[in-house]
Amino acid sequence: MPEIQADLHLHTKFSDGTMTPTELIRLCVDRGLKVISISDHDTTNGLPETFAAAKSYPDLTIIPGIELSTDVPGGEIHVLGYFVDHNDSELQKVLQTFRDGRKGRAEGMVKRLGEMDVNISWERVKEIAGDASIGRPHIAQALVEAGYVEYPKDAFDKYIGREGPAYVERMKLTPEDAIKLLLHHGAVPVMAHPTYSESKSDRDEVGSLTETLAGLKEAGLVGMEVYYGDYTLEQIGYLKDLADKFDLIPCGGSDYHASGNPNEPEPGMAGPPLSTVVALRAAKDRM
Ligand code: AMP
Ligand code: MN
Ligand code: MN
Ligand code: MN
């Protein structure tokens, strides 16, 4: 296998990762990466620091990114947007509404936990999240601190996974909406982690992936993740065939969060060939 030089799926403190962009970039450079994308959930607030920090590493290419969450019956689909423009004020207004929705929903989950006599304080969760786009990993961290679970991932299995007793839904953006929003704002839409991931145990196969992809391609989807996180060679092969079938750019990355979970894929442990970066750039140039 050729060495992995691109990792197009990374999170920072600006959403549910725990590293600053500066720390993460340094780690990526140390691990030999040449192209990375910071793709935080529902926010581009980490991008100014990302670009500032990247000035120290002229050989490193940054693709500005974002990851949007959408709901489909029985599951969720995440859509990455590459070459997103963080200075687009119209887009910022929309992202703010997504983050507001995250906040109310997180508070709802803390309340549900309390009703189950699992007591973590909303104040503490907000403190852990800081200015970030708040997410379940912040609640999971509070549950670890309070001793209810050993690792953040156990909080998903026990309480806040989709089937968990304290799970609360949030706003319903469809994947088609997310794709249209990204295209409208000049970002290249890519479907994230289309199938089961071992390290994120509540993440099942997107129901009838072939049908879903056909619909999303119609809506303007440009790529899909193939080289993702802990995917096995078998999963990668299956997804690469699907990407080829639908003429989607095969993307990928580690989805690193520095989460503290055991066996978390690290930057550079998964990623696409550099030809993917060329294809994404060309897709952006055609927009
Ligand atoms: P949210 O965006 O609030 O719905 O939370 C989803 C985030 O939680 C994902 O982006 C992952 O970072 C993390 N996550 C989801 N499922 C799991 C899991 N089973 N174990 C650990 N982390 C997870
Ligand atoms: Mn996440
Ligand atoms: Mn995701
Ligand atoms: Mn992600």
Side-chain angles (χ1 to χ4, degrees), residues 1-7 28-34 268-274:
M1 278 263 282
E3 200 188 333
I4 291 167
Q5 297 184 67
D7 185 331
C28 289
V29 170
D30 286 348
R31 293 182 61 92
L33 288 165
K34 300 282 185 277
M269 280 172 57
L274 288 181

Side-chain angles (χ1 to χ4, degrees), residues 72-128:
V72 288
E76 52 188 279
I77 290 180
H78 293 183
V79 183
L80 295 156
Y82 291 124
F83 302 103
V84 65
D85 172 10
H86 64 275
N87 293 316
D88 179 336
S89 56
E90 284 303 311
L91 176 62
Q92 290 305 332
K93 279 188 215 156
V94 180
L95 295 178
Q96 186 61 52
T97 66
F98 296 168
R99 295 196 295 271
D100 291 345
R102 283 179 165 278
K103 205 161 176 187
R105 174 229 198 193
E107 194 169 4
M109 282 190 271
V110 171
K111 192 156 166 262
R112 283 240 177 121
L113 285 165
E115 286 159 10
M116 299 167 58
D117 216 16
V118 174
N119 296 302
I120 54 170
S121 83
W122 173 234
E123 289 310 312
R124 182 59 194 139
V125 174
K126 278 196 292 186
E127 218 168 74
I128 292 169

Side-chain angles (χ1 to χ4, degrees), residues 155-167:
F156 284 81
D157 294 338
K158 217 169 153 184
Y159 301 114
I160 54 176
R162 279 196 81 82
E163 311 299 327
Y167 180 75

Side-chain angles (χ1 to χ4, degrees), residues 22 30 32 69 79-80 96 99 110 116 121 140 143 165 195 201 223 233 241 252 280 286:
T22 308
D30 286 348
S69 309
V79 183
L80 295 156
Q96 186 61 52
R99 295 196 295 271
V110 171
M116 299 167 58
S121 83
L143 287 163
T195 189
S201 46
L233 287 177
D241 287 347
L280 286 171
R286 280 194 300 271

Side-chain angles (χ1 to χ4, degrees), residues 141-162:
Q141 191 55 49
L143 287 163
V144 171
E145 276 181 15
Y148 287 104
V149 290
E150 187 176 5
Y151 295 111
K153 74 182 296 290
D154 304 329
F156 284 81
D157 294 338
K158 217 169 153 184
Y159 301 114
I160 54 176
R162 279 196 81 82

Side-chain angles (χ1 to χ4, degrees), residues 12-26:
T12 75
K13 275 174 111 72
F14 285 86
S15 66
D16 56 5
T18 64
M19 286 186 157
T20 65
T22 308
E23 290 164 343
L24 180 58
I25 284 175
R26 206 202 150 98

Side-chain angles (χ1 to χ4, degrees), residues 11 16 41 257:
H11 293 275
D16 56 5
H41 299 283
H257 287 70

